[in-house]
Amino acid sequence: MFKFVDKLEHGKISRRDFLKGSAAATAAIAALNLTGCSSAAVKEESSKAAGTTAAGTTAGATSAPTAEAAVEHSQITDPEPEGKWITAACWHNCGGRCLNKALVVDGVVVRQKTDDTHADSPDFPQQRACVRGRSQRNQIFSADRLLFPVKRKNWSPDAPHGELRGKDEWERITWDEALDYVAAELKKAKEKYGNRSIWGRGTEAIRLLNLFGGCTRDWGTTSRGSYTLTPGLVGIPQDSGNDRFDTRNCDTVIMWGMNPGWSSAGNPIYHWMQAKKAGAKFYGVDPYYNESYTVLGAQWIPCRPSMDTAMLIGVAYEMLKLDEAEGGIIDWDFLHTYCVGFDEESMPEDAKLSENFKDYLLGAYDDTPKTAEWASELCGATVEDIKLLASEMRKDKKVALVNCCANGRTANSDNLPQMFMVLGAMGGHIGKPGHMTGTMYHSRGGNVGYALVTAGGTGVPSIKNAIDDCVNDTELWEAVLSGKYNFTGGSAKSGTSEIRDIDIHVLYHGWNAILQCRDGMTKGIEAHRKVDFVVCHAQFMKTEARYADIVLPINTEWERPGAILTGNREILIFPQQISEDLGESHSDQWVVKELAKRLDIDPNEVYPISEKAQYFNSIMGCKVADETDGKTMGPLVTITQEDIDEWGVAEELAAIEIEVKPQEGKIGLKELLEQGMYQVERYAGDPYTHITLSDFVEDPAANPVETTSGKLEIYCQKLADTVNGLGWSEIKPYPTHIRAEEGWEATQEGDYPFQIFNPHYLRRSHATLDNVQWLRETWPNPVFLNASDADKKGIKDGDTVLITSPHGKTLRNACLTERFIPGVVGLPHGSWVDMDEDKQIDMGGADNIICGDWSTGQGVSAWNTAICDFEKYDGDALIPDVEKPMRVLEF
């Protein structure tokens, strides 16, 4: 085993076919000529990679390649060795979750490939893996895998030396020692301070802690931002676009802050390409002109971060004026039939204010008409572009006005999803073929609708938490430090606020990346150093592990029996075990069951059935939509008595009152697992096409939306009452421009003249895969600077730049480009923090070192609202990330 890991660290491999898999992305970068934004090897290879198929296999072993190797191995010449292709989990949270398969020879993964289960076509596309998924074995069998339990050298139960977290050295310990330490610290905290003093995260850890008497939790808006609460209260579903076949009916597609080609690099961008081929005109409203807009030939309309609501309001005003001048712009029948609150004549019965949206547009309440000129000053778009969008939104065009939640991850944006709906409603672009308004989140980009195939449950019963304390993510670290937080009932839906005392002494990191990926990492590090004890489940020495006392080595999905995955409404993926546990790693479930024994808890209460039985039950419960009516769900998998006997889990499931018996479905179990995926075959005119809110538009009386009025609420009293009741900031019941905390206005006043936001990046999925050397070499993670802004500061392409915000400092090498608008900096999301403790500068480019942790509205994590300054760094130049030592623990 360990000789194998050593070979992985020092082996020589080719990445030629790895680059084949990234052909579209690398070709786009080459075309854009982003000097300094990608490695020389990528630039050299990109022109060769262009035009190759994304369905090719990835060859080689699993260590970092050299540029010379990429040129030398220009094609795969070795014959495929004899082995077995096994479906491999790609479980990371990019939203894609495409099909990956691993070729296993004598227990070793030697190659990967993606979907070849059927011929590829736009109607029935293969579920092709992206560069991240194809590099997975470079992660799973990496030299920096954590193989043993470890403890900080200077930690002991009596002298924790919390100030050394993140600085200390590590020592190997046994599993018994590690588990005994963790159990003892949990018991100590419970006895001295009560269960509220223990914070926990991760499904498995929470199950254990719930049985132990409960724990403090956290909640947040995460990726959806203000699209978490607002859409449901105003009448729009969270995902409110249409099915991918219907996008081909659009005349115009306005993508507002979307980059599916990077964020969810599977089929979403391919679906949008079909709309383009069908004749749709694309616009991209965004602080930067990204790769997806390039592929789609979108016209770029710049908009500053956090200024989206102001721009939408300006477009609405111009639609109103254009309709008065020309007619045919606003769908007044739609506004008065399906909406309330647009004007004085359509106010809802529960309105507390004698105000409406139309009069706000006209300036009736503040003597400021919301003209294109007014909006332009705030959002940075030209007056002409704002008026252009107003014309494009006209009712006689089929328009898709869509976003992917990025603009909702901003401060004071609670009215933004409502304003998005308002603009769509003004043109009547809701609930009809070719018309759609709202969010197309993650892999649902270009393909919204009910699931056509669904997984069964694991059979594991839930366990109630006896502790109701639940801290909003934006307040979590401050709660640890100050001992106070705003209790809202565990979500924003309560609309209530209660300031509570809290005294947290233990941080239990199960499956999560909350220190790396939540608000205010600088304060988070301080909080980790304050508490008595930190334990972390980890596969690598990631951020949460580095700031822990005890780190428990966890296996990956490739080392487990399997768990059903899905990436879009048409597929289920059925991964299987690829390898045995590496080193002494175990699953999270094994860990918490072993801890249960030491906490006087019956392990079978934590997990009453094995992971294999859970997987079988999930497969047994899979359902698929009937191909005749498209909606009636029936069994997916045919299971025979022979299958039941072979799996040998019937008795386990019977013990928790789940009956296992043969059943008839669409596909046999063995065939399904051999294929590794089930995909519903689609075709134009099939019964599965989905138009969001079409039932409501066809008959609003019979199919009201779930609002107080039963209609779309342009004036929504419940939204205002709920958000205002949370106590963080206030909004009106209708959309208005609100100055954002640390938004554009702040750059005009203080020491931080630039806005900075955090685009998702192809190198990783959030923070996952950031340690993969192939990806580090291919995607160097620069800071993107507008070329004119950089020139004024004497910064050239490739220079090391110090980025400073009110919350922290970080270094990155500069990539100069005109694709980011002046005054805006782009720092890719998710890079692992690498703090220089002496200088108090992060050397890793971690975005959340720069972001703050204040709360607004519905408790939004406002990662895309931040301010900064930057300068050429006067210290040593930053070496490329790929040249940094890997976080390998050697004993």
Side-chain angles (χ1 to χ4, degrees):
M1 178 68 70
F2 307 114
K3 289 182 179 178
F4 174 54
V5 173
D6 186 65
K7 288 179 181 178
L8 293 175
E9 184 178 5
H10 299 101
K12 293 182 179 179
I13 55 97
S14 164
R15 74 169 175 195
R16 168 62 183 170
D17 211 47
F18 168 66
L19 287 172
K20 282 186 181 181
S22 59
T26 53
I29 286 184
L32 288 166
N33 192 26
L34 295 185
T35 305
C37 298
S38 58
S39 70
V42 173
K43 292 173 186 175
E44 183 171 359
E45 286 293 295
S46 59
S47 60
K48 302 174 185 176
T52 60
T53 175
T57 52
T58 307
T62 53
S63 61
T66 63
E68 290 78 15
V71 178
E72 177 185 352
H73 297 279
S74 59
Q75 60 183 354
I76 298 173
T77 56
D78 295 337
E80 181 176 300
E82 291 187 10
K84 182 179 181 181
W85 285 103
I86 302 175
T87 300
C90 189
W91 68 96
H92 311 297
N93 189 24
C94 71
R97 298 192 181 92
C98 308
L99 183 61
N100 271 278
K101 292 196 173 185
L103 180 60
V104 181
V105 179
D106 296 329
V108 177
V109 175
V110 298
R111 290 186 184 174
Q112 278 183 248
K113 69 176 181 179
T114 186
D115 187 8
D116 57 4
T117 58
H118 60 80
D120 185 62
S121 70
D123 289 0
F124 190 36
Q126 294 174 342
Q127 304 299 311
R128 295 178 178 178
C130 74
V131 293
R132 293 180 288 226
R134 293 175 187 229
S135 70
Q136 264 193 131
R137 70 189 186 287
N138 192 244
Q139 177 203 40
I140 289 167
F141 302 114
S142 175
D144 62 349
R145 268 293 296 271
L146 186 61
L147 302 176
F148 318 102
V150 294
K151 178 185 80 69
R152 280 200 302 113
K153 277 191 174 182
N154 288 291
W155 178 86
S156 71
D158 298 324
H161 291 293
E163 74 280 1
L164 294 179
R165 293 184 184 120
K167 309 174 187 178
D168 214 343
E169 295 180 342
W170 297 90
E171 59 187 16
R172 178 178 172 179
I173 58 176
T174 67
W175 266 108
D176 282 338
E177 288 176 308
L179 295 168
D180 288 345
Y181 279 136
V182 175
E185 292 300 312
L186 291 173
K187 287 180 178 179
K188 183 197 301 182
K190 180 176 181 177
E191 291 167 3
K192 291 182 69 175
Y193 310 107
N195 282 79
R196 295 179 71 223
S197 71
I198 303 169
W199 169 88
R201 211 166 205 278
T203 301
E204 297 83 3
I206 294 302
R207 291 182 64 83
L208 172 72
L209 294 174
N210 285 352
L211 288 169
F212 188 57
C215 66
T216 295
R217 298 289 312 278
D218 64 276
W219 70 275
T221 59
T222 60
S223 295
R224 288 189 180 272
S226 55
Y227 291 89
T228 302
L229 174 72
T230 302
L233 294 183
V234 302
I236 286 284
Q238 276 192 329
D239 291 303
S240 48
N242 295 349
D243 177 77
R244 63 185 175 90
F245 280 87
D246 187 62
T247 61
R248 304 176 190 178
N249 296 321
C250 297
D251 300 317
T252 300
V253 178
I254 302 172
M255 303 178 82
W256 208 292
M258 296 177 68
N259 189 7
W262 275 22
S263 298
S264 186
N267 276 332
I269 190 68
Y270 187 56
H271 298 326
W272 287 119
M273 289 170 67
Q274 309 318 310
K276 175 178 171 59
K277 289 179 181 177
K281 165 69 176 176
F282 280 78
Y283 294 89
V285 182
D286 208 295
Y288 84 117
Y289 188 70
N290 64 47
E291 284 66 24
S292 296
Y293 303 148
T294 304
V295 169
L296 297 169
Q299 180 175 333
W300 183 28
I301 298 181
C303 178
R304 296 185 180 113
S306 304
M307 292 292 126
D308 307 275
T309 302
M311 184 170 176
L312 289 160
I313 288 170
V315 174
Y317 177 92
E318 295 302 331
M319 286 180 69
L320 197 62
K321 289 303 174 183
L322 196 59
D323 189 76
E324 290 177 0
E326 301 178 6
I329 302 297
I330 294 178
D331 190 332
W332 291 103
D333 288 341
F334 191 95
L335 286 175
H336 290 140
T337 302
Y338 302 103
C339 306
V340 295
F342 182 80
D343 50 27
E344 188 176 3
E345 292 75 34
S346 60
M347 292 298 290
E349 293 180 0
D350 65 341
K352 297 178 182 178
L353 299 177
S354 56
E355 300 177 7
N356 62 79
F357 180 68
K358 180 181 176 184
D359 284 344
Y360 168 74
L361 284 183
L362 297 175
Y365 311 126
D366 58 5
D367 296 324
T368 304
K370 308 308 179 291
T371 63
E373 290 78 7
W374 169 86
S376 176
E377 183 177 348
L378 291 168
C379 72
T382 65
V383 169
E384 292 73 21
D385 280 344
I386 293 170
K387 291 183 176 182
L388 171 63
L389 287 180
S391 178
E392 286 291 328
M393 288 294 297
R394 61 193 309 122
K395 70 177 184 179
D396 59 358
K397 279 193 171 186
K398 293 181 178 179
V399 177
L401 176 65
V402 292
N403 70 77
C404 197
C405 295
N407 53 25
R409 297 191 289 272
T410 54
N412 304 98
S413 63
D414 305 276
N415 282 131
L416 171 61
Q418 183 184 28
M419 185 59 230
F420 218 77
M421 178 200 74
V422 172
L423 201 68
M426 288 176 71
H429 303 306
I430 297 173
K432 299 177 286 187
H435 303 258
M436 62 197 80
T437 297
T439 300
M440 287 187 160
Y441 179 63
H442 272 340
S443 59
R444 293 174 284 281
N447 194 20
V448 171
Y450 59 92
L452 304 180
V453 56
T454 61
T458 63
V460 175
S462 61
I463 303 171
K464 187 176 181 180
N465 188 355
I467 303 299
D468 70 349
D469 286 284
C470 200
V471 187
N472 181 258
D473 287 343
T474 64
E475 293 189 329
L476 180 58
W477 308 132
E478 181 60 31
V480 173
L481 295 170
S482 71
K484 292 186 180 296
Y485 80 101
N486 182 16
F487 175 70
T488 65
S491 77
K493 293 180 180 180
S494 69
T496 61
S497 173
E498 173 193 344
I499 303 302
R500 283 189 177 182
D501 293 330
I502 192 77
D503 187 17
I504 296 173
H505 287 262
V506 171
L507 300 177
Y508 192 136
H509 289 283
W511 178 85
N512 75 75
I514 195 166
L515 177 57
Q516 176 69 52
C517 289
R518 290 297 185 272
D519 316 64
M521 194 192 307
T522 302
K523 191 175 288 185
I525 291 171
E526 184 183 355
H528 276 69
R529 288 174 173 162
K530 175 181 183 290
V531 297
D532 297 337
F533 182 67
V534 183
V535 59
C536 181
H537 295 201
Q539 295 158 353
F540 312 91
M541 291 305 293
K542 59 178 185 172
T543 301
E544 292 70 24
R546 292 189 80 180
Y547 290 90
D549 301 313
I550 303 290
V551 186
L552 307 177
I554 302 301
N555 65 12
T556 71
E557 294 290 341
W558 283 27
E559 297 144 67
R560 301 178 188 178
I564 300 174
L565 302 170
T566 186
N568 59 69
R569 66 188 295 241
E570 298 164 14
I571 67 166
L572 289 179
I573 298 172
F574 298 83
Q576 298 168 68
Q577 187 168 348
I578 301 296
S579 72
E580 298 299 320
D581 293 341
L582 263 65
E584 295 180 8
S585 66
H586 290 290
S587 72
D588 298 277
Q589 292 191 22
W590 181 92
V591 170
V592 296
K593 291 183 76 170
E594 289 298 311
L595 279 172
K597 299 173 185 177
R598 292 161 170 81
L599 296 173
D600 304 318
I601 298 169
D602 181 356
N604 290 326
E605 288 188 62
V606 188
Y607 282 98
I609 56 175
S610 66
E611 294 177 64
K612 183 179 180 181
Q614 294 169 41
Y615 190 30
F616 183 84
N617 196 59
S618 298
I619 295 171
M620 186 170 64
C622 289
K623 305 289 184 184
V624 63
D626 181 78
E627 59 267 22
T628 302
D629 65 16
K631 292 188 176 180
T632 302
M633 303 298 285
L636 171 65
V637 187
T638 295
I639 296 177
T640 66
Q641 187 60 50
E642 181 183 353
D643 294 326
I644 295 170
D645 295 340
E646 186 176 321
W647 277 70
V649 296
E651 290 187 11
E652 283 188 69
L653 291 167
I656 58 171
E657 300 182 352
I658 295 177
E659 183 182 7
V660 179
K661 60 183 180 180
Q663 64 181 37
E664 287 294 321
K666 299 290 186 181
I667 185 172
L669 178 56
K670 287 186 174 63
E671 181 186 355
L672 176 67
L673 294 178
E674 178 69 25
Q675 186 169 292
M677 179 182 69
Y678 186 86
Q679 181 175 356
V680 175
E681 186 168 0
R682 300 292 308 278
Y683 56 89
D686 67 25
Y688 307 118
T689 299
H690 174 79
I691 310 295
T692 297
L693 294 181
S694 59
D695 291 346
F696 169 64
V697 171
E698 289 168 7
D699 190 341
N703 304 293
V705 296
E706 296 181 6
T707 61
T708 303
S709 65
K711 295 185 177 183
L712 304 176
E713 298 201 346
I714 295 171
Y715 179 112
C716 183
Q717 192 65 55
K718 187 174 182 180
L719 173 63
D721 290 347
T722 301
V723 170
N724 297 343
L726 295 170
W728 284 309
S729 63
E730 293 192 352
I731 63 171
K732 292 269 195 177
Y734 56 87
T736 65
H737 168 64
I738 300 173
R739 173 173 171 152
E741 185 82 18
E742 293 194 13
W744 174 74
E745 288 96 337
T747 67
Q748 307 302 296
E749 301 167 351
D751 298 328
Y752 303 98
F754 295 92
Q755 290 185 276
I756 184 168
F757 77 108
N758 312 123
H760 285 238
Y761 195 51
L762 261 177
R763 177 162 120 183
R764 52 189 169 261
S765 172
H766 294 291
T768 305
L769 300 167
D770 195 48
N771 58 323
V772 175
Q773 294 296 83
W774 282 356
L775 296 174
R776 283 184 158 232
E777 182 178 10
T778 310
W779 306 98
N781 203 90
V783 59
F784 295 103
L785 304 176
N786 175 271
S788 59
D789 289 339
D791 183 64
K792 292 173 185 176
K793 288 176 171 280
I795 294 172
K796 295 182 171 55
D797 204 76
D799 285 349
T800 299
V801 174
L802 175 64
I803 308 157
T804 305
S805 84
H807 312 286
K809 299 179 179 181
T810 192
L811 293 180
R812 283 290 86 190
N813 290 329
C815 173
L816 308 190
T817 176
E818 297 292 349
R819 294 195 301 142
F820 279 71
I821 61 177
V824 174
V825 175
L827 182 64
H829 163 58
S831 185
W832 289 6
V833 69
D834 181 16
M835 187 64 69
D836 184 317
E837 295 291 346
D838 294 329
K839 298 176 182 177
Q840 283 299 292
I841 296 175
D842 165 43
M843 314 299 281
D847 51 325
N848 283 320
I849 286 290
I850 297 297
C851 296
D853 64 338
W854 24 260
S855 309
T856 65
Q858 60 196 262
V860 169
S861 289
W863 295 295
N864 286 331
T865 303
I867 55 177
C868 75
D869 199 359
F870 64 87
E871 60 188 281
K872 185 174 180 179
Y873 185 54
D874 59 7
D876 293 338
L878 192 67
I879 65 170
D881 291 345
V882 72
E883 295 179 15
K884 292 181 179 180
M886 299 178 73
R887 298 181 182 179
V888 179
L889 297 185
E890 298 179 351
F891 305 106

